[in-house]
């Protein structure tokens, strides 16, 4: 069983009253929410534009599945290097550069129509490059939340930035659907990418480490530090910085990865994230196509309708984080406080997705998918759990490894569904596949994950305990 780092997660410490603590951390959280919203809008551009691009560029369903997965191939490859960069150079610098790069690359996808003969290859390359650029995003979010939020506020904070993936659909799916209809699919990429470029400039003015923020009060700093926030994560002392650089050296990183994979808690969380992300990537990639091809909606209708389940996912995500923190503050163990919303939400998701195969009314399909997405949002507390368990010296690396498992789902899910459609001509088996993956996420958290507590890195030459 992993050892608890008592210095990071004090069991009985009572932080300064929130009323006198200040609110700068919520400005930081708001920035993470906006950035993650744009991040997921970039990822979903192809799903909204996909049907029109298929017709204009003569792309098959199998090829579209490959294009959907292109992002996740590089996203997978770059997760661990991205986490290492965050640990080595800090969240503000690495994350800010990443926002700018992925936004420019998204804009370039709008010009793909000028290269019709090589459109599939060029679009695959650009989507592949976007995956590299976005790799530090969620590990960066996790590091920043761990630095700025005490343990008993961390569930809500992590759930809010994670719920931005649903809000992105609510905010941008109708806009992108309108852009496709009124101006052409090319403008989906140029508009969303342009917003990201502006946001990269705003990032430099808003994000700081807690100790370095020019507006933070002593009361707020004491509050978050007393509650278990890792306030020195990106602003360590000279001694801590030397220790961190030693911990993140290439050779030791390999040992740390082995430690995390052998630890039962972290391995269970990693596996759970793979199965949860299967649901995410179905909604991000094939769900709008499902509405158009299986439920006979127009592209514009699909853009608006897809926002309804996403809105429910957003509400479920915020509710799950709030409930988890409320349970923790009420005296329930952190393990139970995290697992109760996760298991409840994912059970709702797995039982509702499969029902869509047995109904015909489009309004009922939307209602059922909204319930499924609400449950998925409620159960998607993996990043909160990672903020709770990741060793402080390698928070970025641990987040990168966690997100690596999620990125594998981003590769497998679009490909599997694409080939199911080519083989069967129906979404029935695809929905059964997604439902089964939601059930396996429940198994991961109930059977594999035991106590949720911070993992302590073993001393050099000392074996870790799982």
């Amino acid at each position: 069983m992993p050892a608890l780092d008592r210095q990071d997660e004090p069991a009985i410490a009572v932080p300064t009253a929130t009323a006198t603590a200040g609110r700068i951390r919520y400005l930081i959280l708001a920035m993470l929410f906006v950035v993650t919203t744009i991040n997921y809008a970039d990822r979903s551009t192809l799903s909204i534009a996909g049907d029109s691009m298929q017709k204009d560029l003569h792309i098959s369903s199998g090829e579209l599945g490959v294009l959907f997965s292109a992002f996740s191939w590089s996203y997978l490859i770059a997760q661990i290097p991205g986490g290492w960069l965050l640990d080595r150079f800090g969240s503000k610098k690495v994350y800010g550069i990443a926002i700018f790069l992925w936004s420019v690359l998204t804009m370039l996808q709008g010009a793909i129509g000028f290269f019709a003969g090589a459109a599939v290859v060029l679009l695959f390359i650009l989507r592949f490059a976007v995956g590299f650029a976005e790799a530090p995003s969620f590990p960066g979010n996790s590091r920043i939340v761990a630095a700025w939020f005490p343990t008993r506020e961390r569930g809500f904070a992590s759930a809010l930035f994670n719920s931005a993936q649903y809000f992105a659909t609510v905010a941008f799916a109708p806009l992108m659907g309108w852009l496709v209809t009124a101006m052409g699919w090319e403008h989906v990429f140029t508009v969303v990418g342009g917003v990201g470029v502006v946001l990269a400039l705003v990032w430099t003015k808003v994000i700081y480490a807690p100790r370095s923020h020019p507006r933070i009060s002593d009361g707020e700093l004491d509050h978050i530090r007393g509650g278990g926030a890792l306030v020195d994560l990106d602003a360590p002392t000279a001694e801590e910085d030397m220790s961190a650089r030693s911990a993140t050296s290439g050779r030791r990183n390999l040992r740390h990865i082995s430690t995390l994979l052998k630890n039962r808690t972290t391995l269970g969380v990693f596996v759970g994230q793979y199965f949860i992300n299967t649901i995410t990537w179905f909604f991000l990639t094939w769900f709008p196509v499902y509405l158009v091809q299986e439920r006979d909606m127009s592209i514009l209708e699909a853009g608006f309708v897809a926002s309804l389940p996403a809105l429910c996912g957003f509400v479920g995500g915020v509710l799950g984080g709030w409930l988890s923190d409320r349970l923790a503050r009420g005296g329930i163990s952190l393990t139970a406080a995290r697992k109760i919303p996760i298991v409840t939400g994912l059970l709702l998701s797995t039982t509702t997705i499969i029902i869509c195969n047995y109904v015909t009314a489009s309004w009922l399909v939307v209602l059922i998918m909204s319930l499924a997405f609400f449950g998925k949002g409620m159960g998607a507390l993996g990043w909160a759990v990672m903020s709770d368990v990741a060793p402080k010296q390698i928070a970025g690396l641990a987040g990168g490894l966690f997100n690596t498992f999620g990125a594998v789902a981003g590769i497998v899910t679009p490909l599997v569904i694409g080939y199911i459609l080519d083989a069967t001509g129906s979404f029935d088996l695809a929905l059964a596949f997604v439902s089964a993956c939601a059930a396996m996420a429940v198994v991961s958290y109930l059977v594999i994950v035991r106590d949720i507590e911070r993992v302590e890195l073993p001393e050099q030459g000392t074996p870790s305990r799982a």
Side-chain angles (χ1 to χ4, degrees), residues 188-239:
V188 170
F189 299 102
T190 55
V191 170
V192 175
V195 172
V197 170
V198 173
L199 195 60
L201 302 177
V202 177
W203 175 271
T204 63
K205 304 296 182 182
V206 174
I207 296 297
Y208 295 87
R211 288 186 182 277
S212 306
H213 200 289
R215 292 171 52 196
I216 193 170
S217 67
D218 290 340
E220 183 168 16
L221 186 61
D222 289 343
H223 170 76
I224 64 177
R225 179 174 50 200
L230 307 181
V231 296
D232 295 317
L233 199 59
D234 276 344
T237 64
E239 183 178 347

Side-chain angles (χ1 to χ4, degrees), residues 72 75-81 135 139 270 273-274 277 383 397-411:
S72 289
Y75 193 66
L76 167 69
I77 295 168
Q79 280 305 305
I80 292 175
F270 295 160
Q273 183 67 1
Y274 168 83
N277 262 25
W383 282 109
L397 180 67
L401 187 57
F402 169 79
N403 222 21
T404 297
F405 279 76
V408 172
I411 295 170

Side-chain angles (χ1 to χ4, degrees), residues 122-420:
L122 291 175
L123 190 54
F124 183 91
I125 292 171
L126 287 172
R127 296 292 293 181
F128 195 83
V130 170
F132 270 118
E134 290 196 11
S137 56
F138 270 73
N141 287 344
S142 183
R143 289 181 91 255
I144 293 170
V145 164
W148 274 94
F149 285 85
T151 303
R152 293 177 181 180
E153 297 177 13
R154 201 174 287 154
F156 173 79
S158 296
L160 188 66
F161 80 67
N162 193 50
S163 295
Q165 62 184 277
Y166 319 119
F167 185 77
T169 302
V170 175
F172 282 93
L175 171 63
M176 291 190 288
W178 176 82
L179 285 171
V180 171
T181 303
M183 302 177 67
W185 57 263
E186 301 90 344
H187 295 281
V188 170
F189 299 102
T190 55
V191 170
V192 175
V195 172
V197 170
V198 173
L199 195 60
L201 302 177
V202 177
W203 175 271
T204 63
K205 304 296 182 182
V206 174
I207 296 297
Y208 295 87
R211 288 186 182 277
S212 306
H213 200 289
R215 292 171 52 196
I216 193 170
S217 67
D218 290 340
E220 183 168 16
L221 186 61
D222 289 343
H223 170 76
I224 64 177
R225 179 174 50 200
L230 307 181
V231 296
D232 295 317
L233 199 59
D234 276 344
T237 64
E239 183 178 347
E240 289 170 334
D241 183 57
M242 184 176 297
S243 174
R245 287 179 180 274
S246 174
T248 58
S249 65
R251 183 176 297 177
R252 298 201 72 181
N253 272 341
L254 293 176
R255 287 202 294 271
H256 296 330
I257 291 170
S258 176
T259 297
L260 294 171
L261 291 175
K262 291 176 181 177
N263 183 281
R264 181 166 181 161
T265 295
T266 50
L267 179 61
V269 175
F270 295 160
V271 172
Q273 183 67 1
Y274 168 83
F275 289 115
I276 291 172
N277 262 25
T278 297
I279 314 169
T280 300
W281 279 98
F282 165 70
F283 277 98
L284 276 178
T285 56
W286 283 108
F287 183 57
V289 180
Y290 167 75
L291 295 175
V292 172
Q293 296 183 358
E294 190 87 355
R295 298 297 171 176
D296 298 320
M297 296 184 185
S298 69
I299 295 173
L300 186 59
E301 287 174 332
F304 280 94
V305 168
S307 68
L308 298 178
L311 179 61
C312 291
F314 173 74
V315 173
V318 174
L319 177 63
W322 174 84
L323 176 61
S324 180
D325 285 348
R326 183 67 179 267
L327 291 172
R329 287 194 295 268
I332 293 178
S333 71
L334 184 62
T335 299
R338 296 291 189 244
K339 285 189 179 184
I340 288 172
I342 290 172
V343 172
T344 302
L346 292 174
L347 283 175
L348 175 62
S349 189
T350 192
T351 54
T352 50
I353 288 175
I354 195 67
I355 296 175
C356 287
N357 284 337
Y358 304 98
V359 299
T360 56
S362 294
W363 68 268
L364 190 55
V365 169
V366 174
L367 176 62
I368 293 169
M369 284 296 187
S370 297
L371 284 173
F373 220 28
F374 174 86
K376 188 268 175 183
M378 186 175 179
L381 285 176
W383 282 109
V385 175
M386 281 308 301
S387 293
D388 295 328
V389 305
K392 63 179 182 179
Q393 303 95 327
I394 55 165
L397 180 67
L401 187 57
F402 169 79
N403 222 21
T404 297
F405 279 76
V408 172
I411 295 170
V412 173
T413 304
L415 289 174
V416 169
I417 294 176
Y419 287 113
I420 287 174

